[in-house]
Amino acid sequence: MKQKEKSVTGWLADFTGTHKNLYIASVLLAVCGVACSIVPYVIMGDVVSRLIAGERQWGIYLREGLLMAVLWLARVIFHALSTTCSHKATFHVLGNIRRQVCDKLARVPLGRVKDTPSGSLKNIIVERIDSIETTLAHILPEFTSNLLAPVAVFVYLCVIDWRMALVSLVSLPLGLLAYMGMMIGYEESFKNTVIKTRILNDTAVEYINGIEVIKAFGKAQSSYEKFKIAAKEGADCYIEWMRRCNVFFSIAMVLFPCTAVSVLPIGGLFVKNGTLAVADFVLCLILSLGLTAPLITVMSYSDDIGRLRTILGEVTEILCWEELSRPEEDKKKPADYSVTLKDVTFAYKEKEVLHGIDMQIRPGTVNALVGPSGSGKSTIAKLIASLWDVKSGSICIGGVDIRELSLEEYNRRVAYVSQDNYLFDDTIRENIRMGRMDATDAEVEEAAKKSGCHEFIMQLENGYDTVAGGAGGPLSGGERQRIAIARAMLKDAPVVILDEATAYTDPENEAVIQSSVAKLVQGKTLIVIAHRLSTIADADCIFVVDDGRIAERGTHRELLENGKLYAKMWKAHIGVKNSEREGVSYA
């Protein structure tokens, strides 16, 4: 909780890590650039004094002109080196931020991630973090140079004539007043643009991901209308904000640079009274013209700083999410790979869905979870897979509470294949290899053969080197499932959880998968969730889940003899299979 109290500067210091030296070098180089930009004004003052004094040796002017050119070139070089250092550091910082966010998502409960729209997370991790690159890369060198330069010019003006230094600042407070008018309601307006942009992004992602359903059910018009409204509101919030600021901005930009309006008449009066030399008057006029431009540049970063604060707020909100309660290293070593649930309760937000679950799963056995839809079967599987933490009670592996095992080590012990199998935008070979990154190509192909997907992979254009595409789009649901099962087989974890993993497979391939799973689980603990009761009839133990409770447990024969819920489900299942054999018509 203490993390939330950290300031933006504190978080940036954490994100910068070992790259602080690059930012320090950027600032030092920017200071050198400022020095190179100020010295020419001193030289120019000397030139003006010599011209007024009647100096006619052109070699002196040529030498001083060349010196100013060299200093200008040095300023450009120092600025380039400064921004190079700051950009290099910034790209490392952005990488650190993204890594920390992604690592955080892997440590928080799955429900917390699921509750956040994927469009919002994608927008924060990609676009929002990327949008602060310009601010982070330029704010230090630009602020340093653009603040030091006018300060140095003002000090030099004070050295020449302190009265002229003060006179040159007359337009500054007037411009600031107009600028302050532009900042009225800034926080509310900026927050509104962030919210509307986020809604637009979420709506766009929803529209694109659901385009198949939209077309199938003729909802293109209504869905597009929702997106159109979000796009219009996303544009209007910026337009209204800019319209409200335009008058103040125009006045500020007119008043800020008008130093000559005060310097010319007042300086002329001082010259007339003999209290200011003509050469000094000309030099003060020249210097005053360059006094406010850097300050305008500094103020132009106010929006960027506001954006930086908002985006870092979104990032740090994610980094402060509550994590799964896990140690860095295992506190104890499991004696075996039995799975025990003791009085487990679990709630989605405020709604409790599991009520006092007790289960004993022996190592090396096949166990099935069955029950009506929504009874809590998948929730139990996700809890065992450590995707959530229990509300109360405990889950133990080999007699050790999983909350005493490190998340990384626990993930090596459990292979989980869900109903919704995700394939990355990489080759099929690499998608399978994610089960065990050091696996050889031969081991990858062997796992594919065992899971019944070798044949269809070889029929693809590039075989195992075929790119699966985003989420495995080009493949059928059954093909994606078999690849996911091959990935789990390759992982060779001692505990395997199959959550409706054969839902999309045809009967022929399902038989192949069941045969390979039977070989896979020799000496391992298997937990299967299935609606097709015939696929788990030979399980060592079947747990019947009903309304978040274990209603029955036993073997297939024992549960049929009990004549309760399982027996009714089996009777309904057999009836459906008979209807399928008889050829039910939907015409």
Side-chain angles (χ1 to χ4, degrees):
M1 290 300 128
K2 290 182 180 178
Q3 288 181 320
K4 291 185 178 179
E5 299 173 3
K6 277 196 288 191
S7 64
V8 172
T9 306
W11 279 109
L12 282 176
D14 288 348
F15 294 141
T16 302
T18 59
H19 302 286
K20 292 184 179 71
N21 290 338
L22 282 172
Y23 280 120
I24 294 172
S26 175
V27 171
L28 293 176
L29 289 166
V31 170
C32 293
V34 170
C36 291
S37 66
I38 296 301
V39 174
Y41 285 105
V42 179
I43 298 173
M44 192 179 300
D46 182 61
V47 169
V48 171
S49 298
R50 288 177 181 275
L51 285 172
I52 294 175
E55 178 65 61
R56 292 294 183 267
Q57 293 186 24
W58 299 108
I60 297 175
Y61 300 128
L62 177 61
R63 183 173 64 251
E64 294 191 336
L66 288 174
L67 181 57
M68 284 192 288
V70 170
L71 288 168
W72 177 85
L73 182 61
R75 183 194 67 81
V76 172
I77 292 172
F78 279 123
H79 178 75
L81 292 174
S82 175
T83 54
T84 298
C85 290
S86 63
H87 274 86
K88 187 175 180 180
T90 295
F91 288 128
H92 284 295
V93 169
L94 297 185
N96 287 340
I97 294 174
R98 287 192 172 109
R99 277 192 292 271
Q100 287 191 38
V101 172
C102 291
D103 289 344
K104 181 71 177 187
L105 293 179
R107 299 193 301 270
V108 301
L110 179 64
R112 188 66 179 84
V113 179
K114 290 284 189 182
D115 286 343
T116 306
S118 59
S120 293
L121 288 175
K122 173 257 182 189
N123 183 241
I124 292 171
I125 296 172
V126 182
E127 287 91 352
R128 302 285 287 166
I129 292 177
D130 192 60
S131 68
I132 64 177
E133 179 269 327
T134 301
T135 306
L136 288 179
H138 289 274
I139 194 168
L140 274 177
E142 296 290 343
F143 254 64
T144 302
S145 58
N146 286 294
L147 280 176
L148 281 180
V151 169
V153 169
F154 181 74
V155 170
Y156 188 35
L157 279 169
C158 289
V159 171
I160 298 170
D161 191 296
W162 65 270
R163 300 171 302 171
M164 294 302 295
L166 295 178
V167 167
S168 66
L169 298 180
V170 170
S171 64
L172 191 60
L174 298 175
L176 283 174
L177 285 174
Y179 193 82
M180 289 170 62
M182 188 172 66
M183 301 301 291
I184 295 173
Y186 177 87
E187 291 292 337
E188 294 78 7
S189 297
F190 188 76
K191 184 178 180 180
N192 185 41
T193 61
V194 171
I195 293 172
K196 293 297 174 58
T197 302
R198 186 183 300 161
I199 292 173
L200 173 59
N201 188 76
D202 292 345
T203 305
V205 171
E206 178 186 6
Y207 182 77
I208 294 169
N209 289 343
I211 194 67
E212 184 177 353
V213 176
I214 291 170
K215 287 179 175 292
F217 290 92
K219 298 295 183 181
Q221 184 62 37
S222 59
S223 298
Y224 181 72
E225 187 67 25
K226 181 181 177 182
F227 171 73
K228 188 169 72 173
I229 292 171
K232 185 176 185 303
E233 290 179 349
D236 287 347
C237 64
Y238 282 100
I239 294 171
E240 291 301 321
W241 188 12
M242 294 302 107
R243 183 181 291 122
R244 190 172 65 252
C245 293
N246 272 342
V247 174
F248 292 110
F249 177 78
S250 300
I251 294 172
M253 291 304 102
V254 168
L255 292 177
F256 268 128
C258 290
T259 54
V261 172
S262 57
V263 171
L264 272 174
I266 298 175
L269 183 62
F270 290 157
V271 171
K272 180 180 177 181
N273 294 336
T275 58
L276 180 66
V278 175
D280 290 341
F281 170 57
V282 174
L283 183 56
C284 287
L285 178 61
I286 294 171
L287 290 172
S288 68
L289 294 176
L291 191 62
T292 55
L295 294 176
I296 293 174
T297 303
V298 169
M299 288 186 291
S300 70
Y301 279 100
S302 58
D303 283 345
D304 296 315
I305 294 173
R307 184 184 299 111
L308 176 65
R309 186 180 295 110
T310 301
I311 293 173
L312 285 180
E314 294 173 345
V315 170
T316 55
E317 181 184 354
I318 295 174
L319 294 178
C320 290
W321 283 355
E322 185 178 354
E323 298 182 8
L324 291 167
S325 177
R326 300 291 185 274
E328 290 294 326
E329 296 181 357
D330 292 352
K331 293 183 178 180
K332 299 179 182 178
K333 295 293 182 183
D336 52 33
Y337 291 103
S338 61
V339 180
T340 305
L341 282 75
K342 297 178 182 177
D343 195 25
V344 169
T345 63
F346 179 75
Y348 289 110
K349 295 183 179 178
E350 301 301 323
K351 182 182 179 182
E352 188 171 282
V353 294
L354 296 181
H355 322 286
I357 298 292
D358 290 303
M359 293 174 61
Q360 178 66 49
I361 298 175
R362 292 178 289 110
T365 59
V366 178
N367 303 268
L369 296 175
V370 301
S373 295
S375 59
K377 305 184 299 297
S378 293
T379 301
I380 294 173
K382 287 181 172 68
L383 288 172
I384 296 173
S386 194
L387 300 180
W388 283 297
D389 266 337
V390 299
K391 181 180 178 183
S392 64
S394 65
I395 299 176
C396 298
I397 298 289
V400 179
D401 194 314
I402 64 174
R403 287 169 293 193
E404 296 182 342
L405 303 173
S406 74
L407 195 59
E408 184 176 354
E409 287 299 320
Y410 187 79
N411 287 336
R412 291 196 182 102
R413 296 182 175 107
V414 178
Y416 175 73
V417 182
S418 69
Q419 304 174 42
D420 303 315
N421 299 296
Y422 188 89
L423 299 186
F424 294 90
D425 191 15
D426 203 342
T427 64
I428 290 176
R429 186 188 308 278
E430 294 307 316
N431 267 285
I432 297 175
R433 204 194 305 273
M434 285 178 185
R436 181 159 54 87
M437 297 305 296
D438 60 350
T440 65
D441 288 350
E443 289 172 325
V444 169
E445 293 178 16
E446 181 63 25
K449 291 175 182 177
K450 287 182 178 180
S451 64
C453 57
H454 176 75
E455 291 184 4
F456 85 76
I457 291 175
M458 296 306 296
Q459 293 174 2
L460 297 174
E461 183 179 1
N462 298 312
Y464 282 87
D465 294 320
T466 302
V467 176
L475 304 175
S476 69
E479 290 170 342
R480 290 197 299 272
Q481 277 189 324
R482 279 179 276 167
I483 291 173
I485 292 171
R487 185 161 58 197
M489 287 181 173
L490 188 63
K491 187 175 182 180
D492 196 28
V495 178
V496 181
I497 302 173
L498 302 179
D499 184 357
E500 291 291 345
T502 60
Y504 298 121
T505 54
D506 53 71
E508 180 182 350
N509 283 298
E510 185 174 27
V512 173
I513 293 173
Q514 286 179 334
S515 175
S516 60
V517 166
K519 299 175 183 177
L520 169 70
V521 298
Q522 291 179 359
K524 303 182 191 303
T525 305
L526 177 66
I527 301 169
V528 182
I529 298 175
H531 283 124
R532 302 178 195 171
L533 300 186
S534 56
T535 63
I536 48 88
D538 295 329
D540 296 306
C541 185
I542 300 172
F543 295 89
V544 183
V545 186
D546 185 27
D547 193 25
R549 293 179 173 84
I550 302 298
E552 300 177 73
R553 70 188 74 201
T555 63
H556 173 70
R557 183 182 296 277
E558 291 170 347
L559 293 175
L560 287 180
E561 290 174 354
N562 287 340
K564 297 181 181 179
L565 178 59
Y566 182 82
K568 295 177 182 177
M569 292 172 62
W570 177 259
K571 185 176 180 180
H573 173 67
I574 294 301
V576 170
K577 292 190 70 173
N578 291 336
S579 298
E580 289 176 350
R581 282 196 292 268
E582 292 171 5
V584 176
S585 173
Y586 293 95

